[in-house]
Coordinates of all heavy atoms in Angstrom, one line a residue:
M1 N 0.8 -1.1 0.0 CA 0.0 0.0 0.0 C 0.8 1.2 0.0 O 2.1 1.2 0.4 CB -0.9 -0.1 1.2 CG -0.3 0.3 2.5 SD -1.6 0.6 3.6 CE -0.8 0.0 5.1
D2 N 0.4 2.3 -0.4 CA 1.1 3.6 -0.4 C 0.5 4.5 0.7 O -0.7 4.6 0.9 CB 1.0 4.3 -1.8 CG 1.6 3.5 -2.9 OD1 2.7 2.9 -2.6 OD2 1.2 3.5 -4.0
T3 N 1.4 5.2 1.4 CA 0.9 6.2 2.4 C 1.6 7.5 2.0 O 2.6 7.5 1.4 CB 1.5 5.7 3.7 OG1 3.0 5.6 3.8 CG2 0.8 4.3 4.1
K4 N 1.1 8.4 2.6 CA 1.7 9.8 2.5 C 1.9 10.4 3.9 O 1.1 10.3 4.8 CB 0.7 10.8 1.8 CG 0.6 10.6 0.4 CD -0.4 11.6 -0.2 CE -0.5 11.4 -1.7 NZ -1.4 12.4 -2.4
D5 N 3.0 11.0 4.1 CA 3.4 11.6 5.4 C 2.8 13.0 5.4 O 2.1 13.5 4.5 CB 4.9 11.6 5.6 CG 5.7 12.4 4.7 OD1 5.2 13.3 3.9 OD2 6.9 12.2 4.7
D6 N 3.0 13.8 6.5 CA 2.6 15.1 6.6 C 3.0 16.1 5.5 O 2.4 17.1 5.3 CB 2.9 15.7 8.0 CG 2.3 14.9 9.1 OD1 1.2 14.3 8.9 OD2 2.8 14.9 10.2
K7 N 4.2 15.8 5.0 CA 4.7 16.7 3.8 C 4.2 16.2 2.4 O 4.6 16.8 1.5 CB 6.2 16.7 3.9 CG 6.6 17.3 5.2 CD 8.1 17.3 5.3 CE 8.6 17.9 6.7 NZ 10.1 17.9 6.9
G8 N 3.4 15.2 2.4 CA 3.0 14.6 1.1 C 3.8 13.8 0.4 O 3.6 13.2 -0.7
K9 N 4.9 13.2 1.0 CA 5.9 12.3 0.5 C 5.3 10.9 0.6 O 4.7 10.4 1.6 CB 7.2 12.2 1.3 CG 8.3 11.3 0.6 CD 9.5 11.4 1.4 CE 10.6 10.5 0.9 NZ 11.7 10.4 1.6
V10 N 5.2 10.1 -0.6 CA 4.6 8.8 -0.7 C 5.6 7.8 -0.3 O 6.8 7.8 -0.7 CB 4.1 8.6 -2.1 CG1 3.6 7.2 -2.2 CG2 3.0 9.7 -2.4
R11 N 5.3 6.8 0.5 CA 6.0 5.7 0.8 C 5.3 4.4 0.6 O 4.0 4.3 1.0 CB 6.4 5.8 2.3 CG 7.4 4.6 2.7 CD 7.8 4.9 4.2 NE 8.7 3.9 4.6 CZ 9.3 3.8 5.8 NH1 9.0 4.8 6.7 NH2 10.1 2.8 6.1
H12 N 5.9 3.4 -0.1 CA 5.2 2.2 -0.5 C 5.5 1.1 0.6 O 6.7 1.0 1.0 CB 5.7 1.7 -1.9 CG 5.0 0.4 -2.3 ND1 3.8 0.4 -2.7 CD2 5.5 -0.8 -2.2 CE1 3.4 -0.8 -3.0 NE2 4.5 -1.6 -2.7
W13 N 4.5 0.5 1.1 CA 4.6 -0.6 2.1 C 4.2 -1.9 1.6 O 3.2 -2.0 0.9 CB 3.8 -0.1 3.3 CG 4.4 0.9 4.2 CD1 4.1 2.3 3.9 CD2 5.2 0.8 5.4 NE1 4.8 2.9 5.0 CE2 5.4 2.0 5.7 CE3 5.7 -0.3 6.0 CZ2 6.2 2.3 6.9 CZ3 6.5 -0.1 7.1 CH2 6.8 1.2 7.6
I14 N 4.9 -2.9 2.1 CA 4.4 -4.3 1.8 C 4.0 -4.9 3.2 O 4.7 -5.0 4.1 CB 5.5 -5.1 1.2 CG1 5.9 -4.6 -0.2 CG2 5.1 -6.6 1.0 CD1 7.1 -5.2 -0.7
L15 N 2.7 -5.3 3.3 CA 2.2 -5.8 4.5 C 1.8 -7.2 4.4 O 1.1 -7.7 3.4 CB 1.0 -4.9 5.0 CG 1.3 -3.5 5.3 CD1 0.0 -2.9 5.9 CD2 2.4 -3.4 6.3
E16 N 2.2 -8.0 5.4 CA 1.8 -9.5 5.4 C 0.5 -9.7 6.2 O 0.4 -9.0 7.2 CB 3.0 -10.2 6.0 CG 2.7 -11.7 6.1 CD 3.9 -12.3 6.7 OE1 4.1 -12.2 8.0 OE2 4.7 -13.0 6.1
A17 N -0.3 -10.6 5.8 CA -1.5 -10.9 6.5 C -1.6 -12.4 6.7 O -0.6 -13.2 6.4 CB -2.8 -10.4 5.7
S18 N -2.6 -12.9 7.2 CA -2.8 -14.4 7.4 C -3.2 -15.1 6.0 O -3.3 -14.4 5.0 CB -4.0 -14.6 8.3 OG -3.7 -14.1 9.6
S19 N -3.2 -16.3 6.1 CA -3.6 -17.1 4.9 C -5.0 -16.8 4.3 O -5.9 -16.3 5.1 CB -3.6 -18.6 5.1 OG -4.6 -19.0 6.0
P20 N -5.2 -17.0 3.0 CA -6.6 -16.7 2.5 C -7.7 -17.3 3.3 O -8.7 -16.6 3.5 CB -6.5 -17.2 1.1 CG -5.1 -17.0 0.7 CD -4.4 -17.4 1.9
P21 N -7.7 -18.6 3.6 CA -8.9 -19.1 4.4 C -9.2 -18.3 5.8 O -10.3 -18.2 6.1 CB -8.5 -20.6 4.7 CG -7.5 -20.9 3.5 CD -6.8 -19.6 3.3
V22 N -8.1 -18.0 6.5 CA -8.2 -17.3 7.7 C -8.8 -15.9 7.4 O -9.6 -15.4 8.2 CB -6.9 -17.2 8.4 CG1 -7.0 -16.2 9.6 CG2 -6.4 -18.6 8.9
M23 N -8.4 -15.2 6.4 CA -8.9 -13.9 6.0 C -10.3 -13.9 5.7 O -11.1 -13.0 6.1 CB -8.1 -13.3 4.9 CG -6.6 -13.1 5.1 SD -6.2 -12.0 6.5 CE -6.6 -10.4 5.8
V24 N -10.8 -15.0 4.9 CA -12.2 -15.2 4.6 C -13.0 -15.3 5.9 O -14.1 -14.7 6.1 CB -12.5 -16.3 3.6 CG1 -13.9 -16.7 3.5 CG2 -11.9 -16.0 2.3
N25 N -12.5 -16.1 6.8 CA -13.2 -16.3 8.1 C -13.3 -15.0 8.9 O -14.2 -14.8 9.7 CB -12.5 -17.3 9.0 CG -12.8 -18.6 8.4 OD1 -13.8 -19.0 7.8 ND2 -11.8 -19.7 8.7
R26 N -12.4 -14.1 8.6 CA -12.3 -12.7 9.4 C -13.2 -11.7 8.6 O -13.1 -10.4 8.9 CB -11.0 -12.3 9.6 CG -10.2 -13.2 10.6 CD -8.8 -12.7 10.8 NE -8.2 -13.5 11.7 CZ -6.8 -13.5 11.9 NH1 -6.1 -12.7 11.3 NH2 -6.4 -14.5 12.8
G27 N -13.8 -12.0 7.5 CA -14.7 -11.1 6.8 C -14.2 -10.6 5.5 O -14.8 -9.7 4.9
W28 N -13.0 -11.0 5.1 CA -12.4 -10.4 3.9 C -12.9 -11.2 2.7 O -13.3 -12.4 2.7 CB -10.8 -10.6 3.9 CG -10.1 -9.7 4.9 CD1 -10.1 -9.9 6.2 CD2 -9.3 -8.6 4.5 NE1 -9.3 -8.9 6.8 CE2 -8.8 -8.2 5.7 CE3 -9.0 -8.0 3.3 CZ2 -7.9 -7.1 5.9 CZ3 -8.1 -7.0 3.4 CH2 -7.6 -6.4 4.6
N29 N -12.9 -10.5 1.5 CA -13.2 -11.2 0.2 C -12.4 -10.4 -0.8 O -11.6 -9.5 -0.6 CB -14.7 -11.3 0.0 CG -15.3 -9.9 -0.2 OD1 -14.8 -9.1 -1.0 ND2 -16.5 -9.7 0.4
R30 N -12.5 -10.9 -2.1 CA -11.8 -10.3 -3.1 C -12.1 -8.8 -3.4 O -11.3 -8.2 -4.0 CB -11.9 -11.1 -4.5 CG -11.3 -12.4 -4.4 CD -11.5 -13.1 -5.7 NE -10.9 -14.4 -5.6 CZ -10.5 -15.2 -6.6 NH1 -10.8 -14.8 -7.8 NH2 -10.0 -16.4 -6.4
K31 N -13.2 -8.4 -3.0 CA -13.6 -7.0 -3.2 C -13.5 -6.2 -1.9 O -14.0 -5.0 -1.9 CB -15.1 -7.0 -3.8 CG -15.2 -7.7 -5.1 CD -16.6 -7.5 -5.6 CE -16.7 -8.2 -7.0 NZ -18.0 -8.2 -7.6
S32 N -12.8 -6.7 -0.9 CA -12.8 -6.0 0.3 C -12.1 -4.7 0.2 O -12.4 -3.6 0.9 CB -12.1 -6.8 1.4 OG -12.9 -7.9 1.8
L33 N -11.0 -4.6 -0.6 CA -10.2 -3.5 -0.8 C -10.1 -3.1 -2.4 O -10.0 -4.1 -3.2 CB -8.8 -3.6 -0.3 CG -8.7 -3.8 1.2 CD1 -7.3 -4.1 1.6 CD2 -9.3 -2.7 2.0
Q34 N -10.2 -1.9 -2.7 CA -10.0 -1.5 -4.1 C -8.9 -0.4 -4.2 O -8.7 0.3 -3.3 CB -11.4 -0.9 -4.6 CG -12.5 -1.9 -4.6 CD -12.3 -3.0 -5.5 OE1 -11.8 -2.9 -6.6 NE2 -12.6 -4.2 -5.0
P35 N -8.3 -0.4 -5.3 CA -7.2 0.7 -5.6 C -7.8 2.0 -5.3 O -9.0 2.4 -5.6 CB -6.9 0.5 -6.9 CG -7.1 -0.9 -7.4 CD -8.4 -1.2 -6.5
G36 N -7.1 2.9 -4.4 CA -7.6 4.2 -4.2 C -8.4 4.2 -2.8 O -8.6 5.4 -2.4
D37 N -8.7 3.1 -2.2 CA -9.5 3.2 -1.0 C -8.6 3.9 0.1 O -7.4 3.6 0.2 CB -9.8 1.8 -0.5 CG -10.9 1.1 -1.2 OD1 -11.6 1.8 -2.0 OD2 -11.3 -0.1 -1.0
V38 N -9.3 4.6 0.8 CA -8.6 5.3 2.0 C -9.0 4.6 3.3 O -10.2 4.1 3.5 CB -9.2 6.8 2.2 CG1 -8.5 7.4 3.4 CG2 -8.8 7.5 0.9
M39 N -8.0 4.3 4.1 CA -8.2 3.5 5.3 C -7.2 3.8 6.3 O -6.2 4.5 6.1 CB -8.2 2.0 4.9 CG -6.7 1.6 4.5 SD -6.7 0.1 3.4 CE -7.2 0.7 1.9
K40 N -7.5 3.4 7.6 CA -6.6 3.5 8.7 C -6.0 2.1 8.9 O -6.8 1.2 9.2 CB -7.3 4.1 9.9 CG -6.3 4.3 11.1 CD -7.0 4.9 12.2 CE -6.0 5.1 13.4 NZ -6.7 5.7 14.6
V41 N -4.7 2.0 8.9 CA -4.1 0.6 9.1 C -3.2 0.7 10.3 O -2.4 1.6 10.6 CB -3.3 0.4 7.9 CG1 -2.6 -1.1 8.0 CG2 -4.1 0.4 6.6
T42 N -3.4 -0.4 11.2 CA -2.5 -0.6 12.3 C -1.6 -1.9 11.8 O -2.1 -2.9 11.3 CB -3.3 -1.0 13.5 OG1 -4.2 0.0 13.8 CG2 -2.4 -1.2 14.8
F43 N -0.3 -1.8 12.0 CA 0.5 -2.8 11.7 C 1.8 -2.8 12.5 O 2.2 -1.8 13.1 CB 1.0 -2.8 10.1 CG 1.8 -1.6 9.7 CD1 3.2 -1.7 9.7 CD2 1.2 -0.4 9.4 CE1 3.9 -0.6 9.3 CE2 1.9 0.7 9.0 CZ 3.3 0.6 9.0
K44 N 2.5 -3.9 12.5 CA 3.8 -4.0 13.2 C 5.0 -4.1 12.2 O 4.9 -5.0 11.4 CB 3.9 -5.3 14.1 CG 5.2 -5.4 14.8 CD 5.1 -6.5 15.8 CE 6.5 -6.7 16.5 NZ 6.5 -7.8 17.4
S45 N 5.8 -3.0 12.2 CA 6.9 -3.0 11.2 C 7.9 -4.1 11.5 O 8.1 -4.5 12.7 CB 7.4 -1.6 11.2 OG 8.0 -1.2 12.4
S46 N 8.6 -4.4 10.5 CA 9.7 -5.5 10.5 C 10.7 -5.0 11.4 O 11.2 -3.8 11.4 CB 10.2 -5.8 9.0 OG 11.3 -6.5 9.3
Q47 N 11.4 -5.8 12.2 CA 12.5 -5.5 13.0 C 13.8 -5.2 12.2 O 14.7 -4.6 12.6 CB 12.9 -6.7 13.9 CG 11.8 -6.9 15.0 CD 12.1 -8.0 16.0 OE1 12.9 -9.0 15.7 NE2 11.5 -8.0 17.1
R48 N 13.7 -5.7 10.9 CA 14.8 -5.5 10.0 C 14.8 -4.1 9.4 O 15.7 -3.7 8.7 CB 14.9 -6.6 9.0 CG 15.2 -7.9 9.5 CD 15.3 -8.9 8.4 NE 15.6 -10.2 8.9 CZ 15.6 -11.3 8.2 NH1 15.2 -11.3 6.9 NH2 15.8 -12.5 8.7
G49 N 13.7 -3.4 9.6 CA 13.6 -2.1 9.0 C 12.9 -2.2 7.6 O 12.4 -3.2 7.3
G50 N 13.0 -1.1 6.9 CA 12.5 -1.0 5.6 C 10.9 -0.8 5.7 O 10.3 -0.6 6.7
S51 N 10.3 -1.0 4.6 CA 8.8 -0.7 4.4 C 8.1 -2.0 4.4 O 7.3 -2.3 3.4 CB 8.6 0.2 3.2 OG 9.2 1.4 3.4
V52 N 8.2 -2.9 5.3 CA 7.7 -4.2 5.4 C 7.1 -4.4 6.8 O 7.6 -3.9 7.8 CB 8.7 -5.3 5.1 CG1 8.1 -6.6 5.2 CG2 9.3 -5.1 3.9
G53 N 5.9 -5.0 6.9 CA 5.2 -5.2 8.2 C 4.2 -6.3 8.1 O 3.8 -6.8 7.2
R54 N 3.6 -6.5 9.3 CA 2.5 -7.5 9.5 C 1.2 -6.7 9.9 O 1.2 -5.9 10.8 CB 3.0 -8.3 10.7 CG 1.9 -9.3 11.1 CD 2.0 -10.6 10.5 NE 1.1 -11.5 11.0 CZ 0.3 -12.4 10.3 NH1 0.5 -12.3 9.1 NH2 -0.6 -13.1 10.9
L55 N 0.2 -6.9 9.1 CA -1.1 -6.2 9.3 C -1.7 -6.7 10.5 O -1.8 -7.9 10.8 CB -2.0 -6.6 8.0 CG -3.3 -6.0 8.1 CD1 -3.4 -4.6 8.0 CD2 -4.2 -6.7 6.9
I56 N -2.2 -5.7 11.3 CA -2.9 -6.1 12.6 C -4.3 -5.8 12.4 O -5.2 -6.6 12.8 CB -2.3 -5.2 13.8 CG1 -0.7 -5.5 13.9 CG2 -3.0 -5.5 15.0 CD1 -0.3 -6.8 14.2
K57 N -4.6 -4.5 11.9 CA -6.1 -4.1 11.8 C -6.3 -3.1 10.8 O -5.3 -2.3 10.5 CB -6.5 -3.5 13.1 CG -8.0 -3.1 13.3 CD -8.3 -2.8 14.7 CE -8.8 -1.4 15.0 NZ -9.1 -1.1 16.3
L58 N -7.4 -3.1 10.0 CA -7.6 -2.1 9.0 C -9.0 -1.6 9.2 O -9.9 -2.4 9.4 CB -7.6 -2.8 7.7 CG -7.6 -2.0 6.3 CD1 -6.6 -2.5 5.4 CD2 -9.0 -2.1 5.9
I59 N -9.2 -0.3 9.1 CA -10.5 0.4 9.3 C -10.7 1.1 7.9 O -9.9 2.1 7.7 CB -10.6 1.3 10.4 CG1 -10.2 0.5 11.8 CG2 -12.0 1.9 10.6 CD1 -10.1 1.5 13.0
K60 N -11.7 0.8 7.3 CA -12.1 1.5 6.0 C -12.7 2.9 6.3 O -13.1 3.1 7.4 CB -13.0 0.6 5.2 CG -12.4 -0.7 4.7 CD -13.4 -1.5 3.9 CE -13.4 -0.9 2.6 NZ -14.2 -1.7 1.6
A61 N -12.8 3.6 5.3 CA -13.4 5.0 5.5 C -14.9 5.0 5.9 O -15.2 5.9 6.7 CB -13.3 5.8 4.1
D62 N -15.5 3.9 5.6 CA -17.0 3.8 6.0 C -17.1 3.3 7.5 O -18.2 3.1 8.0 CB -17.8 2.9 5.1 CG -17.3 1.5 5.0 OD1 -16.4 1.1 5.9 OD2 -17.8 0.8 4.3
G63 N -15.9 3.0 8.2 CA -15.9 2.5 9.5 C -15.8 1.0 9.6 O -15.7 0.5 10.7
K64 N -16.0 0.3 8.6 CA -15.9 -1.2 8.7 C -14.4 -1.6 9.0 O -13.5 -1.1 8.5 CB -16.2 -1.8 7.3 CG -16.3 -3.3 7.2 CD -16.8 -3.9 6.0 CE -16.9 -5.5 6.2 NZ -17.3 -6.1 4.9
V65 N -14.5 -2.6 10.0 CA -13.1 -3.0 10.4 C -12.9 -4.4 9.8 O -13.7 -5.3 9.8 CB -13.2 -3.2 12.0 CG1 -11.9 -3.7 12.4 CG2 -13.4 -1.8 12.7
L66 N -11.6 -4.5 9.3 CA -11.3 -5.8 8.7 C -10.0 -6.2 9.4 O -9.2 -5.4 9.9 CB -11.0 -5.6 7.2 CG -12.1 -5.4 6.3 CD1 -11.7 -5.1 4.9 CD2 -13.1 -6.6 6.3

C-alpha cells in the first residue's frame, strides 16, 4: 500500500496478512479493498527495517473493520 506523510511524500509498504482461508473467516473477500481506498491501518513493522510489516487491523473510510 502507499502512504503519505505530513509533507505529502509517498512511501510504499508491503504488509503481510494471514492465509486466505483465515482472512475469509475474518470477513475479507476479493472485493474488500479497491485501488484508491482510504483506510486507517495498524501494523507491526519489521525488526529489520524497511517498508515491510505485519497487518494487525484495517479500518475502512466507512468505519468497517477488517
Side-chain angles (χ1 to χ4, degrees):
M1 78 168 144
D2 293 326
T3 62
K4 287 185 183 179
D5 64 17
D6 294 337
K7 297 178 182 176
K9 183 178 177 186
V10 175
R11 183 171 180 182
H12 181 74
W13 286 85
I14 298 172
L15 298 181
E16 178 182 74
S18 298
S19 67
V22 171
M23 299 300 286
V24 168
N25 287 336
R26 293 181 180 168
W28 290 73
N29 64 50
R30 291 181 179 200
K31 296 183 180 182
S32 292
L33 301 176
Q34 298 297 318
D37 283 353
V38 176
M39 63 201 84
K40 181 177 182 180
V41 178
T42 303
F43 65 95
K44 182 176 180 182
S45 58
S46 171
Q47 292 179 340
R48 294 183 180 169
S51 298
V52 179
R54 173 98 174 133
L55 178 65
I56 305 296
K57 182 168 124 179
L58 185 144
I59 304 173
K60 295 180 71 171
D62 65 4
K64 183 174 181 181
V65 177
L66 292 171

